[in-house]
PDB file of all heavy atoms in Angstrom:
ATOM      1  N   CYS A 882     113.930 151.213  88.605  1.00 88.00           N
ATOM      2  CA  CYS A 882     112.655 150.521  88.791  1.00 88.00           C
ATOM      3  C   CYS A 882     111.726 150.696  87.592  1.00 88.00           C
ATOM      4  O   CYS A 882     110.865 149.850  87.343  1.00 88.00           O
ATOM      5  CB  CYS A 882     111.964 151.010  90.064  1.00 88.00           C
ATOM      6  SG  CYS A 882     112.857 150.541  91.568  1.00 88.00           S
ATOM      7  N   ASN A 883     111.883 151.771  86.857  1.00 85.00           N
ATOM      8  CA  ASN A 883     111.017 152.016  85.709  1.00 85.00           C
ATOM      9  C   ASN A 883     111.296 151.065  84.552  1.00 85.00           C
ATOM     10  O   ASN A 883     110.466 150.901  83.661  1.00 85.00           O
ATOM     11  CB  ASN A 883     111.178 153.458  85.233  1.00 85.00           C
ATOM     12  CG  ASN A 883     110.669 154.461  86.257  1.00 85.00           C
ATOM     13  OD1 ASN A 883     109.664 154.205  86.920  1.00 85.00           O
ATOM     14  ND2 ASN A 883     111.371 155.577  86.397  1.00 85.00           N
ATOM     15  N   ASP A 884     112.478 150.464  84.551  1.00 89.00           N
ATOM     16  CA  ASP A 884     112.874 149.620  83.418  1.00 89.00           C
ATOM     17  C   ASP A 884     112.974 148.141  83.758  1.00 89.00           C
ATOM     18  O   ASP A 884     113.120 147.317  82.848  1.00 89.00           O
ATOM     19  CB  ASP A 884     114.230 150.088  82.871  1.00 89.00           C
ATOM     20  CG  ASP A 884     114.195 151.530  82.412  1.00 89.00           C
ATOM     21  OD1 ASP A 884     113.179 151.908  81.802  1.00 89.00           O
ATOM     22  OD2 ASP A 884     115.164 152.256  82.676  1.00 89.00           O
ATOM     23  N   TYR A 885     112.906 147.794  85.009  1.00 92.00           N
ATOM     24  CA  TYR A 885     113.130 146.407  85.415  1.00 92.00           C
ATOM     25  C   TYR A 885     112.166 145.432  84.720  1.00 92.00           C
ATOM     26  O   TYR A 885     112.559 144.361  84.278  1.00 92.00           O
ATOM     27  CB  TYR A 885     112.964 146.258  86.932  1.00 92.00           C
ATOM     28  CG  TYR A 885     114.230 146.519  87.724  1.00 92.00           C
ATOM     29  CD1 TYR A 885     114.174 147.192  88.942  1.00 92.00           C
ATOM     30  CD2 TYR A 885     115.463 146.071  87.282  1.00 92.00           C
ATOM     31  CE1 TYR A 885     115.316 147.426  89.686  1.00 92.00           C
ATOM     32  CE2 TYR A 885     116.615 146.310  88.019  1.00 92.00           C
ATOM     33  CZ  TYR A 885     116.540 146.988  89.225  1.00 92.00           C
ATOM     34  OH  TYR A 885     117.672 147.204  89.953  1.00 92.00           O
ATOM     35  N   LEU A 886     110.879 145.810  84.628  1.00 93.00           N
ATOM     36  CA  LEU A 886     109.877 144.870  84.138  1.00 93.00           C
ATOM     37  C   LEU A 886     109.991 144.597  82.643  1.00 93.00           C
ATOM     38  O   LEU A 886     109.405 143.630  82.141  1.00 93.00           O
ATOM     39  CB  LEU A 886     108.467 145.365  84.473  1.00 93.00           C
ATOM     40  CG  LEU A 886     108.142 145.475  85.966  1.00 93.00           C
ATOM     41  CD1 LEU A 886     106.688 145.868  86.160  1.00 93.00           C
ATOM     42  CD2 LEU A 886     108.441 144.177  86.689  1.00 93.00           C
ATOM     43  N   SER A 887     110.747 145.418  81.939  1.00 91.00           N
ATOM     44  CA  SER A 887     110.975 145.172  80.511  1.00 91.00           C
ATOM     45  C   SER A 887     112.398 144.688  80.244  1.00 91.00           C
ATOM     46  O   SER A 887     112.814 144.585  79.097  1.00 91.00           O
ATOM     47  CB  SER A 887     110.698 146.449  79.704  1.00 91.00           C
ATOM     48  OG  SER A 887     111.528 147.515  80.153  1.00 91.00           O
ATOM     49  N   SER A 888     113.110 144.386  81.314  1.00 93.00           N
ATOM     50  CA  SER A 888     114.500 143.938  81.187  1.00 93.00           C
ATOM     51  C   SER A 888     114.565 142.414  81.139  1.00 93.00           C
ATOM     52  O   SER A 888     113.543 141.723  81.118  1.00 93.00           O
ATOM     53  CB  SER A 888     115.328 144.456  82.369  1.00 93.00           C
ATOM     54  OG  SER A 888     114.946 143.783  83.560  1.00 93.00           O
ATOM     55  N   ILE A 890     115.737 140.435  83.535  1.00 95.00           N
ATOM     56  CA  ILE A 890     115.826 139.789  84.852  1.00 95.00           C
ATOM     57  C   ILE A 890     114.774 138.693  84.967  1.00 95.00           C
ATOM     58  O   ILE A 890     113.840 138.615  84.177  1.00 95.00           O
ATOM     59  CB  ILE A 890     115.672 140.816  86.000  1.00 95.00           C
ATOM     60  CG1 ILE A 890     114.290 141.462  85.967  1.00 95.00           C
ATOM     61  CG2 ILE A 890     116.769 141.863  85.945  1.00 95.00           C
ATOM     62  CD1 ILE A 890     114.000 142.367  87.160  1.00 95.00           C
ATOM     63  N   LYS A 895     111.012 140.072  88.803  1.00 96.00           N
ATOM     64  CA  LYS A 895     109.969 140.985  88.323  1.00 96.00           C
ATOM     65  C   LYS A 895     108.734 140.927  89.223  1.00 96.00           C
ATOM     66  O   LYS A 895     108.135 141.964  89.537  1.00 96.00           O
ATOM     67  CB  LYS A 895     109.592 140.628  86.888  1.00 96.00           C
ATOM     68  CG  LYS A 895     110.667 140.950  85.862  1.00 96.00           C
ATOM     69  CD  LYS A 895     110.235 140.558  84.455  1.00 96.00           C
ATOM     70  CE  LYS A 895     111.317 140.886  83.435  1.00 96.00           C
ATOM     71  NZ  LYS A 895     110.935 140.514  82.056  1.00 96.00           N
ATOM     72  N   SER A 896     108.355 139.727  89.645  1.00 96.00           N
ATOM     73  CA  SER A 896     107.197 139.588  90.532  1.00 96.00           C
ATOM     74  C   SER A 896     107.455 140.280  91.863  1.00 96.00           C
ATOM     75  O   SER A 896     106.546 140.890  92.446  1.00 96.00           O
ATOM     76  CB  SER A 896     106.888 138.102  90.749  1.00 96.00           C
ATOM     77  OG  SER A 896     106.553 137.469  89.529  1.00 96.00           O
ATOM     78  N   ILE A 898     109.266 142.938  92.338  1.00 95.00           N
ATOM     79  CA  ILE A 898     109.124 144.376  92.111  1.00 95.00           C
ATOM     80  C   ILE A 898     107.654 144.777  92.071  1.00 95.00           C
ATOM     81  O   ILE A 898     107.238 145.775  92.671  1.00 95.00           O
ATOM     82  CB  ILE A 898     109.821 144.777  90.790  1.00 95.00           C
ATOM     83  CG1 ILE A 898     111.325 144.587  90.917  1.00 95.00           C
ATOM     84  CG2 ILE A 898     109.495 146.212  90.404  1.00 95.00           C
ATOM     85  CD1 ILE A 898     112.047 144.602  89.597  1.00 95.00           C
ATOM     86  N   ILE A 899     106.861 143.992  91.361  1.00 95.00           N
ATOM     87  CA  ILE A 899     105.428 144.286  91.218  1.00 95.00           C
ATOM     88  C   ILE A 899     104.740 144.300  92.579  1.00 95.00           C
ATOM     89  O   ILE A 899     103.931 145.198  92.880  1.00 95.00           O
ATOM     90  CB  ILE A 899     104.774 143.258  90.284  1.00 95.00           C
ATOM     91  CG1 ILE A 899     105.252 143.470  88.846  1.00 95.00           C
ATOM     92  CG2 ILE A 899     103.250 143.328  90.360  1.00 95.00           C
ATOM     93  CD1 ILE A 899     104.941 142.323  87.922  1.00 95.00           C
ATOM     94  N   VAL A 905     104.944 150.882  89.554  1.00 92.00           N
ATOM     95  CA  VAL A 905     105.937 150.840  88.471  1.00 92.00           C
ATOM     96  C   VAL A 905     105.385 150.158  87.224  1.00 92.00           C
ATOM     97  O   VAL A 905     106.018 150.185  86.164  1.00 92.00           O
ATOM     98  CB  VAL A 905     107.230 150.116  88.916  1.00 92.00           C
ATOM     99  CG1 VAL A 905     107.823 150.785  90.144  1.00 92.00           C
ATOM    100  CG2 VAL A 905     106.979 148.629  89.166  1.00 92.00           C
ATOM    101  N   ILE A 906     104.215 149.533  87.330  1.00 95.00           N
ATOM    102  CA  ILE A 906     103.665 148.775  86.200  1.00 95.00           C
ATOM    103  C   ILE A 906     103.261 149.713  85.072  1.00 95.00           C
ATOM    104  O   ILE A 906     102.584 150.721  85.285  1.00 95.00           O
ATOM    105  CB  ILE A 906     102.444 147.947  86.652  1.00 95.00           C
ATOM    106  CG1 ILE A 906     102.851 146.938  87.734  1.00 95.00           C
ATOM    107  CG2 ILE A 906     101.819 147.220  85.461  1.00 95.00           C
ATOM    108  CD1 ILE A 906     101.677 146.227  88.372  1.00 95.00           C
ATOM    109  N   LYS A 907     103.695 149.354  83.862  1.00 94.00           N
ATOM    110  CA  LYS A 907     103.318 150.092  82.660  1.00 94.00           C
ATOM    111  C   LYS A 907     102.550 149.152  81.725  1.00 94.00           C
ATOM    112  O   LYS A 907     102.599 147.930  81.877  1.00 94.00           O
ATOM    113  CB  LYS A 907     104.556 150.644  81.958  1.00 94.00           C
ATOM    114  CG  LYS A 907     105.374 151.610  82.811  1.00 94.00           C
ATOM    115  CD  LYS A 907     106.511 152.228  82.035  1.00 94.00           C
ATOM    116  CE  LYS A 907     107.583 151.207  81.664  1.00 94.00           C
ATOM    117  NZ  LYS A 907     108.277 150.633  82.824  1.00 94.00           N
ATOM    118  N   ASP A 910     104.251 146.181  80.218  1.00 95.00           N
ATOM    119  CA  ASP A 910     104.680 145.126  81.137  1.00 95.00           C
ATOM    120  C   ASP A 910     103.725 143.936  81.132  1.00 95.00           C
ATOM    121  O   ASP A 910     104.063 142.860  81.626  1.00 95.00           O
ATOM    122  CB  ASP A 910     104.817 145.680  82.555  1.00 95.00           C
ATOM    123  CG  ASP A 910     105.898 146.753  82.657  1.00 95.00           C
ATOM    124  OD1 ASP A 910     106.868 146.652  81.879  1.00 95.00           O
ATOM    125  OD2 ASP A 910     105.759 147.677  83.474  1.00 95.00           O
ATOM    126  N   ASN A 913     104.742 140.298  79.563  1.00 95.00           N
ATOM    127  CA  ASN A 913     105.611 139.313  80.214  1.00 95.00           C
ATOM    128  C   ASN A 913     104.964 137.931  80.228  1.00 95.00           C
ATOM    129  O   ASN A 913     103.827 137.743  79.775  1.00 95.00           O
ATOM    130  CB  ASN A 913     105.922 139.766  81.643  1.00 95.00           C
ATOM    131  CG  ASN A 913     107.090 140.731  81.701  1.00 95.00           C
ATOM    132  OD1 ASN A 913     108.240 140.333  81.588  1.00 95.00           O
ATOM    133  ND2 ASN A 913     106.794 142.017  81.871  1.00 95.00           N
ATOM    134  N   VAL A 917     104.696 136.526  85.723  1.00 97.00           N
ATOM    135  CA  VAL A 917     104.699 137.977  85.932  1.00 97.00           C
ATOM    136  C   VAL A 917     103.292 138.535  85.727  1.00 97.00           C
ATOM    137  O   VAL A 917     102.838 139.406  86.479  1.00 97.00           O
ATOM    138  CB  VAL A 917     105.704 138.654  84.987  1.00 97.00           C
ATOM    139  CG1 VAL A 917     105.714 140.170  85.207  1.00 97.00           C
ATOM    140  CG2 VAL A 917     107.105 138.080  85.211  1.00 97.00           C
ATOM    141  N   ILE A 921     100.970 140.723  88.305  1.00 97.00           N
ATOM    142  CA  ILE A 921     100.280 141.975  87.946  1.00 97.00           C
ATOM    143  C   ILE A 921      98.792 141.867  88.276  1.00 97.00           C
ATOM    144  O   ILE A 921      98.190 142.790  88.847  1.00 97.00           O
ATOM    145  CB  ILE A 921     100.479 142.311  86.456  1.00 97.00           C
ATOM    146  CG1 ILE A 921     101.942 142.627  86.167  1.00 97.00           C
ATOM    147  CG2 ILE A 921      99.589 143.477  86.041  1.00 97.00           C
ATOM    148  CD1 ILE A 921     102.263 142.802  84.691  1.00 97.00           C
TER     149      ILE A 921
END
Side-chain angles (χ1 to χ4, degrees):
C882 293
N883 294 323
D884 301 320
Y885 272 141
L886 297 185
S887 58
S888 70
I890 63 173
K895 290 179 180 180
S896 298
I898 293 165
I899 290 166
V905 303
I906 299 172
K907 300 185 292 295
D910 297 329
N913 275 284
V917 180
I921 294 173

